[in-house]
Amino acid sequence: MSLDKLKLSKPLVSAMNDAGYISAKEIQAKTMSRIIGGQDIIAVGPEGSGKTTNYVLGVLMKLKYSTDEAPKVLILVPDAERVEAVIDQFKMLSGNRSLRIIGLYGTGGMDEVIQDLLDGIDIVVATPTRARAVYLKLGLNLNRLQILIVDDAEVIVKQGMQLPVCELARSAGKVQHLIFTTVVHDKLSHMIDQFMNFPVTIEVEELGESQAITHELLLYQVPNFKSKISLLNSLLRDDEVFEKVVVFVNSRLTAQKLGKSLVSYKPGEVSVLNPLFFDEEGFDHIEDFKDTPEARVLIVANEGLTSPLDISGVPFIFHFEIPEKKEVFLSRVVKSGDEEVVAITFATDMELVDLRKIEQSLGFKIPVMDLPEDVVVDKPAKAPKIKTVKEDVTAPKGGGAFHDKKESNAKTHNYGIGQKAKMTMKKKHG
């Protein structure tokens, strides 16, 4: 899509061309006019979809020259590396324009930083914790703020920095809010709900141009670890279908815990590969598991695996946890022969970011299954409203960011997994 569609100023178009940008991304085309128009937005897109460039262009289009000391834009990002990357992006696209910008991160003394802020700043790029610390020292003036941006919002939530984000947002009062994230889930919505009022959610999906040829893939979205255990026990109850299963987790400690949590109806049915303790049920080699008829479920930790595991001959694999490296997941699900395998993945909200990266590499989204009726979904107590440093009666109240789940994800029952698995088994043995 041409850059002309964004209706940028000539200096910005020139700066984009000089930086090597020759076309606009989909998310930029869908949100730029709304950003310039002052609308509150939640922009959802995968890594590399142009979210950062999007708001940098929007800010440069809106920001007018001023001699005010107080900043007009506050951008919150997860870490120091992102602070520097965003500042570099502003410097690259601002051209010869005089732009007063500062980064806030790290710990320790802040006298010099506060003095720089008092001298006059247009844009502050900061980690939420550092920005809050400077604000509480009366060094960060939010009275003239016009735009508050939260980038990589899903990472900020994963790192537990919702409180400083909400405190800063509520203290800033009535400003334009722009949220940029890879995924939207309940914990993120709860944070946004504290300070945004009826935002527009715009989502784009940029999958790989080619689709990988994989085994049959299924996905279950569950809230937490306990619910994963309940789901796995529910599925494995059908021992006629799941006659030989490998379950992958990330750590050996989790493998040990899961081994003790799974229901075992026969001696030796559930075992661990390379168990932590010598007296635990387990195998040192996966071939021994394959050759042992009574061994039905083998739990394998990604931790400590120095080479890919030979899972040939095993008709079902479970990713109880999303591997830390997507290449590990892909190596197990991409087809390399005629063998039929069903690969089933469990994912919590916090794991959806890694799952989206995997789906980008696959070139398609993994089908989401409904939970079986007998699964006990462990629902944690509802998080309380986040208290803020300063309550502003003129600030917009929460409520606008709540969204109903899609119908396909809202059901709590399923009748198809057993039949689907049996069909796969019939293909193998028919």
Side-chain angles (χ1 to χ4, degrees), residues 184-204:
V184 175
H185 49 62
D186 289 344
K187 287 186 178 180
L188 177 59
S189 294
H190 179 72
M191 180 187 78
I192 295 170
D193 193 46
Q194 306 297 308
F195 56 86
M196 290 186 77
N197 190 29
F198 303 109
V200 173
T201 299
I202 298 173
E203 185 170 1
V204 299

Side-chain angles (χ1 to χ4, degrees), residues 78-117:
D79 52 45
E81 184 179 353
R82 285 294 295 145
V83 170
E84 295 294 346
V86 171
I87 291 176
D88 288 345
Q89 188 86 334
F90 268 105
K91 290 179 178 178
M92 179 176 64
L93 297 179
S94 61
N96 297 323
R97 180 175 177 179
S98 177
L99 194 67
R100 302 175 298 172
I101 186 169
I102 191 173
L104 306 180
Y105 54 85
T107 57
M110 58 181 73
D111 292 343
E112 185 177 346
V113 168
I114 291 176
Q115 187 57 53
D116 289 340
L117 288 165

Side-chain angles (χ1 to χ4, degrees), residues 33-45:
S33 62
R34 295 177 183 272
I35 292 174
I36 295 173
Q39 197 165 14
D40 279 10
I41 293 173
I42 302 171
V44 187

Side-chain angles (χ1 to χ4, degrees), residues 130-148:
R130 188 60 168 177
R132 177 178 179 267
V134 177
Y135 173 75
L136 293 177
K137 286 283 188 179
L138 304 181
L140 181 59
N141 185 352
L142 301 179
N143 292 335
R144 300 292 184 88
L145 203 67
Q146 299 171 6
I147 307 173
L148 173 64

Side-chain angles (χ1 to χ4, degrees), residues 12-33:
L12 272 182
V13 172
S14 178
M16 287 282 283
N17 289 332
D18 290 343
Y21 296 101
I22 58 176
S23 60
K25 296 276 192 176
E26 181 184 357
I27 198 167
Q28 296 161 3
K30 286 186 173 181
T31 61
M32 188 59 66
S33 62

Side-chain angles (χ1 to χ4, degrees), residues 237-294:
R237 193 172 291 119
D238 192 344
D239 56 0
E240 292 183 4
V241 172
F242 297 102
E243 60 181 8
K244 213 72 169 176
V245 172
V246 171
V247 181
F248 290 102
V249 297
N250 284 336
S251 72
R252 296 181 69 193
L253 191 61
T254 302
Q256 179 198 29
K257 182 177 180 180
L258 183 59
K260 294 179 179 179
S261 301
L262 291 183
V263 176
S264 180
Y265 298 99
K266 301 174 185 176
E269 195 173 30
V270 177
S271 54
V272 177
L273 185 68
N274 299 318
L276 275 177
F277 303 108
F278 71 92
D279 57 343
E280 291 181 336
E281 196 75 42
F283 294 97
D284 293 330
H285 304 285
I286 190 170
E287 296 303 324
D288 295 334
F289 163 73
K290 295 177 185 178
D291 295 337
T292 306
E294 61 270 20

Side-chain angles (χ1 to χ4, degrees), residues 54-74:
N54 193 16
Y55 69 73
V56 169
L57 292 173
V59 167
L60 292 174
M61 281 291 292
K62 293 191 66 172
L63 200 61
K64 306 300 181 185
Y65 175 79
S66 172
T67 57
D68 289 343
E69 295 176 353
K72 305 296 182 299
V73 181
L74 173 61

Side-chain angles (χ1 to χ4, degrees), residues 218-222 227-238 242 318 344-346 368-377 411-419:
L218 304 174
L219 171 66
Y220 286 93
Q221 293 183 221
V222 287
S227 301
K228 284 185 178 183
I229 293 174
S230 177
L231 174 58
L232 189 55
N233 273 317
S234 172
L235 297 178
L236 293 181
R237 193 172 291 119
D238 192 344
F242 297 102
F318 284 83
I344 301 172
T345 301
F346 297 172
V368 179
M369 305 299 292
D370 301 325
L371 296 176
E373 282 186 314
D374 59 344
V375 171
V376 178
V377 177
K411 299 175 184 176
T412 58
H413 63 278
N414 172 57
Y415 302 103
I417 179 63
Q419 292 178 339

